[in-house]
């Protein structure tokens, strides 16, 4: 199975807001960003995060996609749509120190997000009748998929740059994964 995983294109976020589950808009010229996307157009199955910034991509390219809640970005709970600098220091400092286990009030931590993402991933990779798949999602989801394949510590997850509007290609064959391309 060949799995293409693409991050949505850039968002409009001049105030540096914390967003994950929130529906933040793509940049005003997102159609131009779509023109820069490089991918094949023939897939057996296409999945998308239900976030509008992902479904717009699927709609633009007229994919017959299925949304899956497990493909959403991290839920930042009460921090959603607040400026990062406006989140109280006594709340955000513990998260900066241990984002794997600590969560925003009403949100989720990285372990909880990992559990839902891997639920989707394990279900997908157990399919036997699919040759080529596209997943339209977020940087955090892509990092967690890479972490599950490469088995590096979760604490290192943000050391991987996942570019807007770029994809990675993963080959899955006889139970083995190979990351063939990243940020293409």
């Amino acid at each position: 199975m060949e799995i293409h995983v693409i991050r949505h294109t850039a968002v409009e976020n001049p105030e540096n807001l914390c967003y994950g589950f929130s529906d933040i808009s793509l940049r005003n010229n997102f159609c131009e960003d779509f023109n820069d996307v490089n991918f094949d157009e023939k897939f057996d199955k296409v999945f998308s995060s239900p976030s509008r910034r992902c479904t717009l991509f699927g709609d633009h390219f007229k994919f017959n996609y299925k949304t899956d809640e497990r493909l959403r970005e991290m839920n930042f709970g009460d921090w959603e749509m607040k400026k990062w600098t406006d989140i109280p220091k006594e709340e955000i400092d513990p998260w900066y120190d241990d984002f794997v286990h600590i969560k925003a009030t009403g949100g989720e931590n990285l372990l909880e997000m990992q559990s839902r993402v891997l639920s989707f991933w394990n279900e997908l990779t157990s399919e036997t009748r699919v040759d080529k798949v596209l997943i339209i999602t977020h940087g955090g989801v892509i990092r967690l998929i890479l972490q599950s394949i490469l088995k590096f510590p979760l604490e290192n997850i943000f050391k991987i740059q996942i570019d807007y509007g770029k994809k990675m290609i993963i080959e899955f064959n006889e139970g083995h994964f190979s990351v063939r391309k990243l940020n293409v």
Side-chain angles (χ1 to χ4, degrees):
M1 178 186 309
E2 187 175 281
I3 306 167
H4 295 232
V5 188
I6 192 162
R7 185 179 186 188
H8 59 81
T9 56
V11 298
E12 191 68 35
N13 190 9
E15 296 188 46
N16 195 25
L17 302 175
C18 173
Y19 68 94
F21 260 45
S22 295
D23 259 332
I24 192 166
S25 298
L26 292 176
R27 289 189 331 166
N28 291 332
N29 57 345
F30 68 88
C31 284
E32 291 175 23
D33 292 342
F34 287 167
N35 292 334
D36 294 335
V37 173
N38 178 23
F39 65 91
D40 302 334
E41 294 186 21
K42 302 280 187 198
F43 296 96
D44 299 319
K45 290 191 175 185
V46 179
F47 298 93
S48 177
S49 161
S51 297
R52 189 74 181 126
R53 57 192 181 270
C54 294
T55 60
L56 270 174
F57 184 92
D59 293 343
H60 178 83
F61 290 104
K62 297 180 178 32
F63 286 121
N64 180 18
Y65 61 89
K66 179 180 176 184
T67 60
D68 194 306
E69 288 289 329
R70 297 172 292 178
L71 294 173
R72 281 190 179 273
E73 186 58 275
M74 180 176 273
N75 182 350
F76 287 103
D78 293 348
W79 299 353
E80 291 279 340
M81 301 310 287
K82 288 184 180 177
K83 290 182 182 180
W84 282 98
T85 54
D86 290 346
I87 299 169
K89 193 168 176 53
E90 63 273 7
E91 289 181 32
I92 201 157
D93 282 352
W95 183 80
Y96 282 141
D97 291 339
D98 185 7
F99 54 82
V100 173
H101 300 97
I102 304 295
K103 56 184 158 185
T105 306
E108 67 185 338
N109 64 29
L110 194 58
L111 290 173
E112 292 166 328
M113 182 182 175
Q114 178 188 46
S115 176
R116 73 173 157 81
V117 169
L118 292 184
S119 168
F120 170 85
W121 185 248
N122 293 333
E123 190 176 296
L124 173 67
T125 56
S126 69
E127 296 226 16
T128 56
R129 297 184 191 151
V130 178
D131 290 324
K132 196 170 184 181
V133 176
L134 173 65
I135 301 169
I136 307 163
T137 191
H138 310 276
V141 173
I142 296 170
R143 287 180 182 99
L144 285 169
I145 291 170
L146 279 171
Q147 190 275 335
S148 75
I149 294 169
L150 301 175
K151 307 291 186 210
F152 57 81
L154 276 173
E155 295 80 21
N156 293 335
I157 203 151
F158 291 111
K159 293 182 180 183
I160 299 172
Q161 175 67 36
I162 305 297
D163 293 339
Y164 289 111
K166 300 295 182 184
K167 69 177 177 179
M168 72 173 169
I169 301 174
I170 299 165
E171 188 72 36
F172 179 62
N173 191 9
E174 297 181 16
H176 298 285
F177 292 100
S178 175
V179 178
R180 290 193 7 225
K181 295 182 180 182
L182 182 62
N183 285 328
V184 293

